Amino acid sequence: MIQVPERLRRLLPFARRPPGAAASATARPARQGHNLFEAAAVYVAACAEDDQVRAEEAANRVSPGALSFGVNELACRALVTLARQRNESPLVVARSLLGLRNESA
């Protein structure tokens, strides 16, 4: 069974590094214990603005697992807030944001 960190490396674009980058990644200074929610906020905002450099910097502040948790928490909070503003269910809003048809239950 594949371990969670390995699965995250496969899924998250910042974790996909060319084989030669592995050596340079170990030369990087140790992570400083940054706030994972701050890193997630910067990462998502940078991705939305297509700022790859800032996204990489934010991704390197915390572990991939912590970043994934932070991004998930941000997505949940944003979805709930937007659903309240639209007076719709979170599922309807999520499907709308992803361009999916809303199917009647």
Side-chain angles (χ1 to χ4, degrees), residues 21-39:
S24 63
T26 57
R28 165 175 25 150
R31 295 190 173 134
Q32 300 264 330
H34 291 276
N35 182 316
L36 69 100
F37 295 117
E38 176 67 27

Side-chain angles (χ1 to χ4, degrees), residues 35-77:
N35 182 316
L36 69 100
F37 295 117
E38 176 67 27
V42 171
Y43 178 79
V44 170
C47 288
E49 296 169 352
D50 199 25
D51 185 345
Q52 188 63 32
V53 173
R54 204 171 69 183
E56 289 275 340
E57 289 172 357
N60 287 325
R61 293 181 191 172
V62 295
S63 71
L67 182 63
S68 177
F69 175 80
V71 168
N72 182 62
E73 186 65 24
L74 176 60
C76 290
R77 291 180 188 193

